[in-house]
Amino acid sequence: MKHTLDEYFPGFIYPANELSKFIAAGDIFTIMLKGGAIVHHHAEDRDLFKQWLLDHKVYDIKAN
């Protein structure tokens, strides 16, 4: 699995440092921003996007 510490994920407009936690259902990610807003993202590569979130220490609600 490719690991990336790039601040932005291709096709996702929010930088990693603005993300608080997430939950995934299939290829749809529901993400809470640190400011409290909720955003949704359809990931073309579910595994790679999830790994990017985890690499940036974004809290995975299902895993914890």
Side-chain angles (χ1 to χ4, degrees):
M1 169 93 27
K2 180 183 174 186
H3 293 266
T4 179
L5 292 177
D6 292 342
E7 190 63 17
Y8 285 88
F9 189 85
F12 186 64
I13 64 170
Y14 299 95
N17 66 355
E18 288 187 24
L19 312 178
S20 176
K21 52 188 156 184
F22 74 94
I23 191 166
D27 59 355
I28 302 295
F29 288 78
T30 301
I31 303 163
M32 178 180 271
L33 303 179
K34 289 182 178 174
I38 303 291
V39 298
H40 301 282
H41 178 67
H42 172 268
E44 294 293 323
D45 186 331
R46 178 192 190 283
D47 294 332
L48 187 59
F49 186 66
K50 183 176 180 180
Q51 189 61 55
W52 177 79
L53 292 169
L54 295 173
D55 287 349
H56 287 281
K57 312 245 184 295
V58 180
Y59 182 81
D60 181 352
I61 294 168
K62 280 189 178 178
N64 298 304

